[in-house]
């Protein structure tokens, strides 16, 4: 039978072992964030969310993004800004759910255990992000499939809502009679 004293001693020894293990692992360093030009304004996305969205957009839009590094960064920034605009245009309750999803993606513990990405978003490989997206897309859990669908729709709405991306798909833009509706917003 375990006495109260033995129980407390085992708890203290376990906490000390965990603390020592953490010290051996090294200092906690903050995750690098996706840097944007100083003048860039965002309505919804914070630094962690922008970093996750940039990494996810980089993988989801692979093949549509330019390969030259400067053009790639400009296109990625446009995609992240488009994601911010798309999320800001959602109804309040949906916007809250998307923010919760982005918080889940940005948190270290949930990123590791729910998402399956061990590195931070800016250092994660394209293969690891593609694996995470595929796992969520075909998951048996409705919540994960819904999360994938939300990310997919936001990224593609942001990308194809940008007139600069229309050149790549040969789209001339909305018909002329839609111009009044387009400019009304």
């Amino acid at each position: 039978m375990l006495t109260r004293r033995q129980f407390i001693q085992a708890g203290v020894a376990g906490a000390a072992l965990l603390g020592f293990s953490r010290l051996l692992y090294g200092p906690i360093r903050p995750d690098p964030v996706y840097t944007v030009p100083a003048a860039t304004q965002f309505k919804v996305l914070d630094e962690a969310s922008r970093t996750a969205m940039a990494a996810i957009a980089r993988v989801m839009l692979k093949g549509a993004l330019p390969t030259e590094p400067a053009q790639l960064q400009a296109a990625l920034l446009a995609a992240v800004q488009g994601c911010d605009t798309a999320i800001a245009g959602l109804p309040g309750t949906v916007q809250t759910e998307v923010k919760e999803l982005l918080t889940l993606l940005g948190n270290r513990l949930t990123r590791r255990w729910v998402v399956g990405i061990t590195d931070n978003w800016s250092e994660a490989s394209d293969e690891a992000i593609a694996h995470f997206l595929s796992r969520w897309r075909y998951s048996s859990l409705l919540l994960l499939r819904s999360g994938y669908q939300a990310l997919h729709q936001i990224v593609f709405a942001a990308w194809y809502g940008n007139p600069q991306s229309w050149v790549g798909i040969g789209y001339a833009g909305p018909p002329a009679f839609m111009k009044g509706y387009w400019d009304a917003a």
Side-chain angles (χ1 to χ4, degrees), residues 158-183:
W159 180 251
Y160 289 109
N162 183 354
Q164 294 174 349
S165 67
W166 298 347
V167 176
I169 58 173
Y171 179 59
F177 70 91
M178 294 290 292
K179 291 284 185 192
Y181 298 109
W182 213 257
D183 298 331

Side-chain angles (χ1 to χ4, degrees), residues 2-24:
L2 189 66
T3 65
R4 184 183 333 166
R5 181 178 296 252
Q6 290 171 328
F7 181 75
I8 292 172
Q9 288 174 340
V12 169
L17 182 64
L18 283 175
F20 182 70
S21 299
R22 180 64 191 100
L23 286 175
L24 288 178

